[in-house]
Amino acid sequence: METNEYIERKRNEHLTDLYEFLRIPSISAQAEHKQDVERAAQWVADRLRRVGLDAVEIVQTKMHPLVYGQSLKAPGKPTVLFYGHYDVQPPEPLELWTSPAFEPTVRDGNLYGRGTADDKGQVHIHIRALDALRQTEGTLPINLKVIIEGEEEVGSENLWDYVNHNKSKLKADALVVSDTAMLAPGVPSITYGLRGLNYHQVDIIGPAQDLHSGVFGGAVPNPLTILTELFATLHDKNFRVTVPGFYDDVAVVSRAERKALNALPFKEKEFRKTVGAPALCGEKGYTVVEQLWCRPTLELNGIWGGYIGEGAKTVIPSKSHAKFSTRLVPYQDPVKIARLVERHIRKLIPKQVTCNFQLLSSGKPWVAPYTHPFFEVAHRALETGFGERAVFIREGGSIPFVTQMHDTFKVPCLLLGFGLPDENAHAPDEHILLENYFGGIKAMANFYQGLGKL
Ligand code: BES
Ligand code: MN
Ligand code: MN
């Protein structure tokens, strides 16, 4: 049977298998799910074996295991390293899910559940593409190495150790990743840029303990007030980050690239609808696409301290806390930016309090040319899967592994994503458009076939 026909006929089988994967709550951030993470790794290893990969192993790390497998039976053909992650974000707040996060459910042509888009659904696209190739052609048309990790959502800290110790084993002619989104439904997309990320926590410590705000208020420092006043100064009226030196190394995007990016079928109206706020705001002088993909940001991600329970409690908290992050673009260096940000914030903190600073995770930005012949193969494969020519996009999200691999192996990185921007990754009611899931299987099977014919 022809591969595409096989993929079409097995739609139900693809889905039942994916449901099994999605039902495992492999939440890497929560210690109580350690065994579920383990179980997901085993599930992936089992599937890699079933689709004919050899040397499949579950590699233990300091935190969560990663899964490796390979098939090196096509001498003279290209070798591809495929990367994905089987861990997922926490599903909270649970009450905002229409159907439970770990009970995959189809509604209106979408499959709902944590991990459907980010990234189990997309990893599964590759598993099913490999299965289809095995069933219809008997062998894989290329050489393949696969790493599916379990710590992407918490920063991929231990993955890097593994890569550094296994450089020759992982060597390949290209890296393939499906962990990004398409620009819009019906617009297959190849991502050639990601932002980098620094994630910080700052704790401000004032009085030795919480204090009665009537008895003490007016004469003592309030860490919560100090924190909020501080963060209020980190952007100016044009929404630029006020940290000195923050923009020093930011690459000026060429006029040609700006033109190409702004000519993409990006629908600002759709974007506004997805956001759902009364209005947008962003750095002055840049289009939304440029703000999202080409400009760095600083965002508060969480802030806490003091009393937030029922009723009133007149208290001056002894401490306050904030989690915040910067998204980085070429040629900002995460280490340098982290230092600038910390130095600036420390300078703004008055002497009445002390502060703790932590850098919780860090990853470099990535932008790369897309001229290698493999991109033409990807183009044709996406056209087969989706019936449309693909566009080249950048994205605002971060996948630290991609930059690390690109720096280490200097090989083309093909980011072929099958999510959509409004599919609620990291949020309640995460979903994937079923047509993109099935189209993705066809595209990837076709991609591997195409590489085999080069
Ligand atoms: N798949 C995403 C990254 C992504 C999302 C790239 C959308 C492009 C478009 C990945 O799982 C993710 O969430 N990454 C984190 C960073 C990580 C270090 C926690 C992110 O971007 O916040
Ligand atoms: Mn992801
Ligand atoms: Mn994610």
Side-chain angles (χ1 to χ4, degrees):
M1 197 191 306
E2 199 261 332
T3 311
N4 285 331
E5 191 192 333
Y6 177 87
I7 293 169
E8 272 302 315
R9 283 207 196 171
K10 295 286 174 174
R11 279 186 173 222
N12 278 331
E13 207 173 282
H14 303 320
L15 283 182
T16 14
D17 194 56
L18 174 57
Y19 292 172
E20 256 187 52
F21 192 17
L22 293 170
R23 286 196 187 105
I24 308 171
S26 47
I27 307 161
S28 50
Q30 299 176 344
E32 77 247 41
H33 286 286
K34 176 100 188 118
Q35 291 204 332
D36 297 316
V37 172
E38 201 88 27
R39 208 146 52 84
Q42 274 158 15
W43 194 93
V44 170
D46 175 70
R47 288 312 184 275
L48 294 186
R49 284 189 197 103
R50 281 199 211 172
V51 299
L53 298 199
D54 314 310
V56 174
E57 51 176 334
I58 296 177
V59 181
Q60 299 300 331
T61 74
K62 280 188 207 129
M63 206 197 301
H64 299 311
L66 63 89
V67 185
Y68 177 82
Q70 64 183 31
S71 172
L72 306 176
K73 289 174 279 194
K77 301 291 181 187
T79 301
V80 164
L81 176 65
F82 170 64
Y83 162 83
H85 62 94
Y86 68 79
D87 65 322
V88 298
Q89 286 273 327
E92 288 81 8
L94 297 177
E95 67 280 10
L96 295 186
W97 286 80
T98 309
S99 49
F102 296 102
E103 278 175 31
T105 309
V106 173
R107 284 194 300 278
D108 301 332
N110 290 300
L111 175 62
Y112 286 82
R114 177 56 90 228
T116 46
D118 186 9
D119 182 32
K120 284 173 165 173
Q122 300 205 52
V123 165
H124 200 254
I125 282 173
H126 286 255
I127 292 175
R128 297 309 287 184
L130 296 175
D131 171 67
L133 289 171
R134 181 180 165 85
Q135 299 301 334
T136 57
E137 301 204 333
T139 55
L140 266 188
I142 52 146
N143 301 300
L144 184 68
K145 301 176 177 183
V146 175
I147 294 188
I148 314 291
E149 71 152 316
E151 295 183 11
E152 197 277 343
E153 298 293 7
V154 290
S156 304
E157 216 64 46
N158 298 303
L159 175 65
W160 198 226
D161 232 39
Y162 175 76
V163 172
N164 271 327
H165 287 102
N166 293 277
K167 276 192 189 154
S168 51
K169 175 172 166 169
L170 298 176
K171 207 176 157 1
D173 302 307
L175 174 68
V176 173
V177 178
S178 292
D179 192 22
T180 50
M182 300 177 13
L183 186 68
V187 188
S189 310
I190 302 175
T191 297
Y192 69 93
L194 296 165
R195 287 194 289 193
L197 175 71
N198 275 340
Y199 198 102
H200 302 264
Q201 178 167 333
V202 57
D203 309 292
I204 296 188
I205 304 121
Q209 69 280 308
D210 287 4
L211 299 169
H212 190 295
S213 67
V215 177
F216 293 92
V220 302
N222 181 325
L224 207 40
T225 312
I226 288 168
L227 183 75
T228 50
E229 283 177 354
L230 189 160
F231 273 94
T233 68
L234 294 184
H235 292 94
D236 68 14
K237 64 178 191 314
N238 293 326
F239 216 72
R240 281 174 68 89
V241 177
T242 56
V243 175
F246 188 75
Y247 293 95
D248 282 1
D249 302 324
V250 171
V252 177
V253 180
S254 74
R255 192 191 288 215
E257 187 178 2
R258 275 178 97 157
K259 208 173 140 197
L261 292 179
N262 289 314
L264 287 168
F266 175 84
K267 300 267 182 305
E268 202 172 306
K269 217 174 126 194
E270 283 300 308
F271 179 78
R272 282 170 193 275
K273 216 169 88 192
T274 304
V275 173
L280 300 181
C281 74
E283 189 183 351
K284 205 174 157 186
Y286 296 91
T287 63
V288 172
V289 157
E290 291 165 355
Q291 288 167 353
L292 297 173
W293 299 347
C294 309
R295 300 295 298 169
T297 62
L298 184 153
E299 300 280 359
L300 253 175
N301 302 113
I303 183 163
W304 71 103
Y307 182 71
I308 53 168
E310 199 181 341
K313 181 184 181 199
T314 46
V315 67
I316 293 172
S318 130
K319 293 176 185 161
S320 66
H321 315 267
K323 287 182 190 272
F324 70 100
S325 54
T326 52
R327 292 279 168 178
L328 309 173
V329 299
Y331 300 102
Q332 286 178 301
D333 169 16
V335 177
K336 179 176 166 189
I337 296 293
R339 259 194 237 122
L340 289 177
V341 167
E342 176 170 350
R343 196 205 300 155
H344 180 65
I345 291 181
R346 281 195 187 276
K347 241 190 221 163
L348 293 176
I349 289 183
K351 64 176 190 312
Q352 293 86 351
V353 294
T354 60
C355 105
N356 275 336
F357 240 93
Q358 288 172 78
L359 181 61
L360 298 177
S361 82
S362 186
K364 286 197 216 168
W366 172 76
V367 174
Y370 43 85
T371 45
H372 192 279
F374 289 0
F375 284 96
E376 192 39 49
V377 178
H379 235 296
R380 285 200 301 269
L382 289 167
E383 203 167 348
T384 304
F386 293 87
E388 297 288 336
R389 284 292 280 176
V391 295
F392 286 96
I393 63 171
R394 288 168 64 164
E395 292 246 43
S398 311
I399 312 174
F401 182 72
V402 171
T403 327
Q404 292 167 345
M405 290 305 285
H406 196 228
D407 287 356
T408 308
F409 293 108
K410 313 263 181 312
V411 294
C413 301
L414 294 112
L415 273 59
L416 313 174
F418 303 107
L420 285 170
D422 65 354
E423 287 181 336
N424 298 342
H426 295 203
D429 280 351
E430 178 180 350
H431 57 281
I432 190 166
L433 185 64
L434 282 174
E435 282 317 306
N436 286 357
Y437 167 75
F438 295 126
I441 299 174
K442 274 190 220 160
M444 292 326 303
N446 193 270
F447 175 68
Y448 292 135
Q449 282 172 325
L451 284 186
K453 287 184 196 132
L454 266 190

